[in-house]
Amino acid sequence: MSSRDADKEFVWHPYTQMKDWNKWNNRVIVGGDGFYLVDKEGRKYLDGIASMWCNVWGHGQNEVVEAMVEQMKNLQHSTLFGLASGPSASLAEKLARLAKGMDRVFYTDNGSTAIEAAMKMALQYWHNKGKSQKKEFISLEHGYHGDTVGAMSVGYIEKFFGAYKPLLVNVRRAPSPLLYGSKFDNENDLVEQCLEKTEKMFRKHGGRCAAMVMESGAQIAGGTIIYPAGYQRKIAELCRKYDILLILDEIATGFGRLGSMIEYLAQKSQPDIVCFGKALTGGYFPLAVTMTHDRIFNAFLGEYSKNKQFYHGHTFTGHPVGCAAALANIELYEKRNLMQQINANAKYIGSRLREFAKSPIVADIRHKGLLAGIELARNGKPIVMLKNKERINYFIVHESLRMGVHLRPLGNIMMVIPPLAIGREDLEKIMDVQLEILRKVEKLSG
Ligand SMILES: Cc1ncc(COP(=O)(O)O)c(C=O)c1O
């Protein structure tokens, strides 16, 4: 390496202004210790964002890791193109038992491609049924479904994806049930209006619409928006009424984030296609699934020459190490009664958020399970820059790391999204650090 390269960062980091990288980032993570990440200087950071919302058990040695190592010793990889594999078959069976109403599991390697597979599945379902006119998608405002082309199209966020518009397909967007900033003062009226507008859209465009795509239970990246009770169930009913497939994205919300293992069951909203990822392997391996029921699956059966088969697959589809991780992970959920712990910790977060609500710059708090968004604003405007000329999101990241916790807000929204099995003491530390940072932002934004 030449001396010119000594400070060079060769890694191009995601969602990162690389011009600012070297100014402050000298933290190279080399190890894990419980819910802490350890950098090469030996400094420890509590993983306050569950390593991008996916970590369940913390970091280091545990049963899931052991299952992965065992699998790695026996079979490192084998394809699902033309061959079956033990772990992928066992996991599919397990998932079909958990995700009631779903019969088949299609494997991908990450959430975005699980959504691509779901969209292709919906399009080809109608194509195979002889209804090729049903080729459009409707999704929700503020939705986010990943960074591949189809996923960006249905989860379009202008700030992120404006430059990629030429690649994207046109998608109609139904209103998202966000009370904050709306003209309503109660959720019932808001939901009623959202459903009315959505139904109008379905009535007008349903004949051409293949599927409605939405996050299940809550929208996270688009602003931590928790659906009011009953909203998702009614959307599912509307989909059925207008013969539109419902694709639910449980990539970030499934497996416990909102207090339920399978969120659509808690919401009483049976989908036609559902995607899981992130916590599926405890956050240890890139694996995601797109599940569906036999009515969809059967439309792909036929004479080979009729070309009804599903033309989707990746080299690492159904990777045996990922499947072994997911199997051990699910077993551990059951063994450790994780949902009970999550629900107790959710109550604790709720009680702590009362302190946040008193702040003059907290404009709204949205909370469910182990997810909370704390919206910071002054005089009705989102706080973007602080008096010290630092951007609020940078400030929160830097300050939290300095205090030994890794936090990452969504712009002006502070986020509580810890590893799912976090213990009370560590959770208390995350809430304490968030509160201390809030106090600093109060002063720096006044
Ligand atoms: C709801 C939702 N869907 C899809 C994705 C994309 O998943 P991945 O980052 O694994 O591609 C994410 C990622 O944050 C997400 O939150």
Side-chain angles (χ1 to χ4, degrees):
M1 196 196 291
S2 72
S3 59
R4 203 166 49 98
D5 288 341
D7 287 339
K8 189 162 170 175
E9 171 65 34
F10 287 93
V11 178
W12 190 342
H13 291 262
Y15 281 78
T16 299
Q17 176 43 259
M18 293 302 293
K19 182 169 173 282
D20 298 339
W21 183 263
N22 284 342
K23 263 198 265 173
W24 54 272
N25 208 312
N26 57 355
R27 295 175 171 91
V28 180
I29 301 303
V30 294
D33 180 10
F35 291 96
Y36 284 79
L37 298 160
V38 186
D39 77 7
K40 69 176 193 303
E41 327 290 342
R43 293 173 295 200
K44 289 169 99 183
Y45 310 98
L46 186 49
D47 186 359
I49 57 160
S51 293
M52 272 340 271
W53 319 346
C54 65
N55 186 279
V56 179
W57 306 106
H59 307 267
Q61 207 61 30
N62 61 38
E63 286 97 319
V64 182
V65 178
E66 278 158 25
M68 292 168 75
V69 171
E70 266 320 293
Q71 180 56 46
M72 196 56 125
K73 286 186 200 153
N74 290 334
L75 175 67
Q76 300 70 41
H77 176 54
S78 157
T79 181
L80 290 189
F81 288 79
L83 290 172
S85 78
S88 68
S90 307
L91 178 59
E93 193 180 336
K94 184 99 194 164
L95 288 173
R97 286 219 182 93
L98 280 175
K100 299 221 169 3
M102 297 289 118
D103 303 296
R104 308 285 169 165
V105 177
F106 192 90
Y107 287 106
T108 58
D109 337 335
N110 60 69
S112 306
T113 51
I115 293 290
E116 299 292 321
M119 292 174 72
K120 284 172 69 176
M121 218 176 253
L123 280 180
Q124 197 179 341
Y125 166 76
W126 292 115
H127 177 87
N128 287 357
K129 297 281 278 182
K131 290 191 177 173
S132 299
Q133 73 279 13
K134 282 177 84 71
K135 58 186 178 193
E136 295 176 2
F137 289 92
I138 296 177
S139 64
L140 280 195
E141 277 172 354
H142 307 304
Y144 173 82
H145 300 285
D147 289 351
T148 50
V149 171
M152 285 192 289
S153 303
V154 286
Y156 186 74
I157 296 177
E158 174 71 22
K159 182 181 171 198
F160 298 167
F161 305 141
Y164 317 124
K165 233 177 177 169
L167 270 179
L168 310 185
V169 296
N170 256 336
V171 170
R172 271 174 240 283
R173 249 158 276 277
S176 159
L178 173 61
L179 190 59
Y180 174 68
S182 77
K183 62 178 184 191
F184 298 101
D185 62 6
N186 70 82
E187 284 189 336
N188 289 344
D189 292 349
L190 168 74
V191 166
E192 199 175 308
Q193 199 216 36
C194 284
L195 292 169
E196 237 172 61
K197 286 192 170 168
T198 306
E199 179 157 16
K200 200 168 157 199
M201 211 177 248
F202 282 11
R203 205 178 296 123
K204 192 160 174 208
H205 306 289
R208 275 171 281 130
C209 184
M212 166 89 187
V213 185
M214 61 191 272
E215 284 153 272
S216 189
Q219 297 176 303
I220 304 194
T224 319
I225 300 161
I226 316 277
Y227 301 153
Y231 165 75
Q232 187 168 313
R233 178 173 52 77
K234 289 192 183 122
I235 289 281
E237 285 166 12
L238 283 181
C239 284
R240 263 195 302 280
K241 179 170 168 192
Y242 289 92
D243 205 15
I244 293 170
L245 299 180
L246 176 61
I247 299 176
L248 287 180
D249 176 346
E250 297 213 0
I251 289 153
T253 52
F255 281 75
R257 177 60 60 198
L258 302 180
S260 301
M261 189 76 173
I262 305 293
E263 185 58 26
Y264 72 76
L265 295 177
Q267 300 273 352
K268 298 190 172 50
S269 56
Q270 192 64 42
D272 297 288
I273 301 174
V274 61
C275 302
F276 298 99
K278 291 196 188 268
L280 173 64
T281 60
Y284 292 167
F285 200 90
L287 184 85
V289 294
T290 304
M291 299 184 68
T292 192
H293 50 62
D294 275 340
R295 267 177 294 125
I296 302 259
F297 176 80
N298 290 340
F300 288 72
L301 305 179
E303 290 302 318
Y304 189 92
S305 58
K306 299 276 190 239
N307 214 21
K308 287 190 168 182
Q309 44 272 39
F310 188 37
Y311 286 100
H312 193 91
H314 301 281
T315 305
F316 297 117
T317 287
H319 197 290
V321 176
C323 292
L327 277 165
N329 182 42
I330 295 168
E331 211 171 288
L332 214 51
Y333 268 70
E334 289 157 2
K335 201 161 109 190
R336 301 232 181 127
N337 214 346
L338 184 59
M339 298 318 301
Q340 204 174 334
Q341 185 187 327
I342 287 174
N343 285 311
N345 277 336
K347 278 204 189 106
Y348 171 74
I349 291 175
S351 70
R352 290 298 307 270
L353 286 172
R354 282 189 221 122
E355 301 162 58
F356 290 69
K358 290 181 199 143
S359 164
I361 60 166
V362 170
D364 194 32
I365 294 181
R366 303 183 281 275
H367 166 230
K368 188 174 180 188
L370 295 194
L371 172 71
I374 304 157
E375 180 116 22
L376 305 185
R378 267 208 192 267
N379 307 320
K381 290 205 186 91
I383 298 172
V384 180
M385 294 298 287
L386 301 176
K387 280 200 285 200
N388 62 2
K389 305 244 179 335
E390 202 172 2
R391 300 191 71 83
I392 189 171
N393 51 335
Y394 277 18
F395 178 78
I396 293 172
V397 175
H398 300 170
E399 250 340 82
S400 66
L401 285 171
R402 216 180 45 73
M403 295 163 83
V405 179
H406 184 210
L407 298 179
R408 190 178 165 89
L410 293 165
N412 68 316
I413 304 172
M414 295 180 84
M415 273 186 100
V416 180
I417 186 158
L420 294 167
I422 195 164
R424 183 57 60 88
E425 213 174 288
D426 288 336
L427 186 55
E428 204 174 316
K429 179 165 175 179
I430 289 176
M431 298 309 288
D432 288 347
V433 166
Q434 298 254 25
L435 194 59
E436 220 175 307
I437 290 177
L438 175 66
R439 298 289 176 238
K440 287 180 184 168
V441 175
E442 279 171 11
K443 289 204 185 94
L444 284 168
S445 64

